[in-house]
Amino acid sequence: MKMEASIRKEFVLEGLCCGNCAAKIERDVGKLEGVASASVDFMSKTLVMTIAREEMAAGLVAQAGSIAKRHEPDIVMNEKELLQPGQKSLYLLGLHCADCAQKIEKQVAGIDGVKAASLDFVSQKLTIEADDKRELPAITREASRIAVSVEPDLQISHTAPKKDGQGAHSGYKWQESVHLYIGAALFIAGMALDAGRSMELALFLGSYLFVGGEVVLRALKNIARGQVFDENFLMSVATIGAFAIGEYPEGAAVMIFYQIGEAFQSYAVNRSRKSISALMDIRPDFANLKLDGEVRRVAPEEVGIGDLIVVKPGEKIPLDGRIVEGRSALDTSALTGESLPRDVEPGSEVLSGSINKNGVLTIEVSKEFSESTISKILDMVQNASSKKAPTENFITKFARYYTPFVVFAALALAVIPPLAVPGASFADWIHRALVFLVVSCPCALVISIPLSFFGGIGGASKNGILVKGSNYLEALNHVDTVVFDKTGTLTKGIFKVSRIAGANGWTEEDLLACAAHAEGFSNHPIAVSIGKAYGREIDLQRLSEQEEIPGQGVRVKVDGRLVLAGNGKLMESAQIAWQQAEVMGSVVYLAVDGVFAGYIAISDEIKADSRQAIADLKGLGIRHTAMLTGDSKATGEHVARELSLDSVFSELLPHQKVEQLEQLETKKRSGGKLVFVGDGVNDAPVLARADIGIAMGGLGSDAAIEAADVVLMTDEPAKLVSAIRIARKTRTIVWQNIAFALGVKAVILVLGAMGIATMWEAVFGDVGVTLIAVLNAMRAMKTVQ
């Protein structure tokens, strides 16, 4: 039975002047039938009411107003509108400047009413969280204005870019290519011809204006907006400075190679974006809706629950449902990362995103598209980029200070040595300072680090591992303790009745029938296994006063007789004279009308890869592995010995699992993370309490996808090992890029200050390093087994 949700309302009592009246209003409103609670704060003149059901609200509010006026006639009761937070996503198509992305994110985050803003450079997605969702339209307009003011060529879209790339910028326009060719031709002419100083200046200046005119123009526009320290400004100052000191070829060449590097960089970023998107491109494009004997192609969003859809061989199943006609094999690799086909027949449940391999299937839809498995997975992966890793946040903050620092260092290098050192020329030291300006942009880091994490998340999803944010992917590098639930996680969760023992005159057959009826309302795996062993239909009319006792079992009347079915704690709490069974597996004890009737033993099987997964975790350096279970001590210790777990905690109630997890958390290393792995069934509190909650077997489980930080789509413990390996590979690539970019820049800065490195090397230190870092980041998409 679904419980009615209570609603909370707040009112300002204008004209409330009497503290005693406030107390009386609170008392009388609280007595109204349908009011769960009421409180009046005299200081703030606020009345807060909790109303049991929404349909009662209007009448109760009117009665509360009458009560208030009865006690103080001058009171005017005005409802205080409660703020409801909201979220909005914008796609900034044509975003190719990582530095601009940072500026947009910072300025949008500063808009009044914005709780948080996150701009993912890779997916071009700006996520805005507002304190009040009613303010979102105005906030969205202001955010759009900010984005276009920072990068004028942007196209603002409220939907994700189309697969064919329509509506998106190519990153490097054909006009810019033409300008680059003309500029390069003039540069070659200037180098080849010996036509005097004036002609040389004309050729190189013409080359510069064709290639870099747009860069200088953007720099001037940004300065007018108060945006000084960006790539356009730095490159403009550096190259104009080269012309000013007579280094015409170098000034033109630096701009040409900068633009060539930008073209390659833009191409590499776009290719990586497309590659990552292709990894997660599992969204179905259409559904074949069967209506009035005809089949027509419609969007998946147009199909409702109960509609029939036809899926032909080679097509994706667009919505979750149940097969009513046809047999086939399904490729679920897009969801699970597993290539083994799954055979289906009439009655089989199927999930959206699977590919139909051979037969034609007719499917009755069980969920709307927005609630389907594929929608939830896509939403989770697409939103993962808004949860940034600590390393990403560090790089963002570092970049904010790095560029101004290097610019001021360049200024000092240009001015101080010529004034302080006898014989030093301004031209020489200005040339050295220009090297600083060229290499001062942190694009290599700002672009490649988010790209690495996004690639890691995309590669993991291809392997059936869904990570809800790069913060969780990075956290997997610091796992110290892994805590497993037992049933359905380390064991198969497929229970079979292995022994029935009656007592006090109960036969095995009668005891099994009694237990099957007692567990008739439960969908717990143990209850299901007892029902299967009974093999007959449960007559629910025979049951009454059913009550589930958390962590112990059930109390129910069968044919008017009180039946208790559960573990030993249930027997003890009911003061039943019972005998403990010395058997392996889970044991259900039964008592009828206060007399012990016997027990049923149910055995579970350890998963084939559990033992190897635990061994591999220890091989990865995981210091402590533990298991929490509500099963008996004998069963828990047997499983722990089989799997070589470090510790096991048995006979735990749900709330005791949380308490035990907190105890284990106190024993982990400083900086280490505690992971809890469960099957998503009744594990939500423990998943939420752990540093990283991992739900296993999330395929088709809405609860698991909602509750966990990481979802393993299959029921294999070995996927946890793969997740940690992917996280470690991603971290390695991230730190390779950080070390490479900063190392090369540091060397060029030192050599530039010494007068050894020229602006040619500085261009490599900027766009060359960025290009290499982007290509290296793309390796994160390749999964590690």
Side-chain angles (χ1 to χ4, degrees), residues 305-326:
I305 296 172
D307 286 345
L308 295 179
I309 56 173
V310 176
V311 182
K312 300 171 186 175
E315 292 181 350
K316 288 177 186 170
I317 295 178
L319 299 106
D320 295 357
R322 181 179 59 84
I323 295 176
V324 294
E325 188 181 330

Side-chain angles (χ1 to χ4, degrees), residues 66-194:
S66 299
I67 290 169
K69 281 192 172 292
R70 189 170 71 237
H71 290 291
E72 246 191 279
D74 295 331
I75 282 181
V76 177
M77 195 167 92
N78 295 317
E79 184 170 358
K80 186 189 288 185
E81 294 185 8
L82 300 177
L83 296 182
Q84 288 185 306
Q87 184 172 299
K88 176 72 176 175
S89 294
L90 295 175
Y91 291 87
L92 310 186
L93 306 182
L95 179 66
H96 298 286
C97 166
D99 186 46
C100 301
Q102 286 189 346
K103 289 178 180 175
I104 293 168
E105 180 180 276
K106 185 180 178 184
Q107 290 184 38
V108 171
I111 298 173
D112 285 341
V114 172
K115 183 180 179 183
S118 175
L119 175 53
D120 179 50
F121 176 73
V122 180
S123 61
Q124 305 176 311
K125 182 179 179 182
L126 172 62
T127 304
I128 304 168
E129 293 179 36
D131 294 319
D132 185 359
K133 68 179 182 181
R134 292 170 301 178
E135 297 295 325
L136 272 174
I139 290 171
T140 301
R141 288 193 296 273
E142 178 62 14
S144 300
R145 187 197 64 76
I146 288 170
V148 173
S149 72
V150 173
E151 197 164 353
D153 293 333
L154 287 179
Q155 287 183 5
I156 309 297
S157 173
H158 293 267
T159 56
K162 298 177 183 177
K163 292 178 188 176
D164 59 7
Q166 289 176 2
H169 292 266
S170 63
Y172 207 76
K173 300 173 186 174
W174 69 269
Q175 299 101 315
E176 292 173 336
S177 300
V178 171
H179 289 167
L180 183 59
Y181 292 139
I182 295 172
L186 290 173
F187 177 79
I188 292 168
M191 295 294 289
L193 299 175
D194 187 12

